[in-house]
Amino acid sequence: EAGVAQSPRYKIIEKRQSVAFWCNPISGHATLYWYQQILGQGPKLLIQFQNNGVVDDSQLPKDRFSAERLKGVDSTLKIQPAKLEDSAVYLCASSPRTTSSYEQYFGPGTRLTVT
Amino acid sequence: AQTVTQSQPEMSVQEAETVTLSCTYDTSESDYYLFWYKQPPSRQMILVIRQEAYKQQNATENRFSVNFQKAAKSFSLKISDSQLGDAAMYFCAYRRGSTSGTYKYIFGTGTRLKVLA
């Protein structure tokens, strides 16, 4: 089966600009996660979707970050306006539908550099 | 709140030797899962091994095994017969049990493993 797809792989923007990332999870996976991974740190959950509903967005900086998952399939994460501290790798992951399943499958990530 | 701590920023091991990566965690819950993920330089994170907290037996996957000490809240990863392809960042992660509503994962800061030829 195809893995989690993300685009773009790399993005360089200036501060105060806007940027959007796209994620297509594995087919049939109900749960989708967006993580922020700053260099030298572990991934930090930004938002979790179950189908097209938000389950957890407690660590999402809502004044500048937004995310949506229309039709419960692919998802976009947007930053507007970007700050220098947003430079990081943004990882998307998905999990299967059943509640007993607990494995995440990660995409390759998008490396964002804010100058 | 749950926390995951990896106290070894970097480890080195000779090819074919054994290395152990440490992880401790803090939680007040009894139902949870623990994971080790590997992140090679290409960045795609892959699952190495998982452990259910209710299982006393330590998980094993080929050359990878864990030492799960529930009372001490310790979850170390042992890699036997290390290979050059094992070089990567290794992250320890915690996840609540499925009865808790959300499946939020909490990751440690990672250990960079170098394998010396």
Side-chain angles (χ1 to χ4, degrees):
Chain A
E1 63 183 359
V4 177
Q6 290 188 249
S7 68
R9 292 295 307 275
Y10 304 90
K11 189 74 177 178
I12 300 174
I13 62 172
E14 296 181 351
K15 59 183 179 184
R16 292 187 289 274
Q17 286 187 325
S18 301
V19 65
F21 312 127
W22 175 81
C23 172
N24 190 23
I26 293 173
S27 178
H29 280 197
T31 307
L32 186 147
Y33 309 81
W34 281 104
Y35 289 91
Q36 180 192 59
Q37 186 177 18
I38 293 173
L39 185 65
Q41 299 181 19
K44 182 184 83 169
L45 180 70
L46 291 176
I47 190 166
Q48 176 185 338
F49 292 95
Q50 183 79 12
N51 296 309
N52 60 351
V54 175
V55 176
D56 187 336
D57 64 355
S58 57
Q59 298 189 99
L60 186 74
K62 298 180 185 64
D63 58 333
R64 298 184 300 107
F65 286 65
S66 64
E68 60 182 9
R69 190 184 184 196
L70 299 177
K71 301 181 182 178
V73 182
D74 56 353
S75 176
T76 55
L77 176 70
K78 297 179 181 178
I79 307 175
Q80 180 179 16
K83 293 185 175 181
L84 294 176
E85 58 261 36
D86 298 333
S87 294
V89 174
Y90 290 85
L91 297 169
C92 179
S94 68
S95 290
R97 187 182 307 276
T98 60
T99 56
S100 61
S101 184
Y102 38 72
E103 181 170 352
Q104 293 181 107
Y105 297 82
F106 284 86
T110 297
R111 182 180 296 278
L112 173 67
T113 302
V114 182
T115 63
Chain B
Q2 295 82 20
T3 59
V4 176
T5 302
Q6 293 179 251
S7 58
Q8 306 156 316
E10 191 172 291
M11 294 282 284
S12 295
V13 63
Q14 280 300 130
E15 199 175 3
E17 296 294 308
T18 297
V19 65
T20 298
L21 308 184
S22 301
C23 173
T24 58
Y25 60 95
D26 188 27
T27 184
S28 58
E29 298 173 335
S30 59
D31 181 21
Y32 55 88
Y33 301 92
L34 297 165
F35 308 84
W36 279 98
Y37 279 88
K38 172 184 177 181
Q39 189 176 42
S42 66
R43 291 205 310 275
Q44 193 135 9
M45 194 102 68
I46 55 175
L47 179 67
V48 174
I49 199 167
R50 69 169 69 91
Q51 174 80 43
E52 294 87 342
Y54 63 84
K55 289 187 177 179
Q56 293 187 333
Q57 187 173 7
N58 289 325
T60 299
E61 288 287 342
N62 301 313
R63 298 183 295 107
F64 298 87
S65 61
V66 299
N67 183 5
F68 175 46
Q69 301 288 327
K70 191 171 183 178
K73 297 179 181 174
S74 170
F75 182 61
S76 60
L77 174 69
K78 185 171 83 171
I79 306 174
S80 304
D81 186 25
S82 297
Q83 300 174 0
L84 295 177
D86 294 334
M89 283 291 288
Y90 286 82
F91 291 96
C92 179
Y94 166 100
R95 203 213 83 178
R96 283 171 159 176
S98 58
T99 57
S100 301
T102 66
Y103 311 136
K104 182 176 180 176
Y105 288 74
I106 298 169
F107 286 82
T109 52
T111 296
R112 181 175 301 282
L113 179 65
K114 294 183 176 180
V115 182
L116 308 174

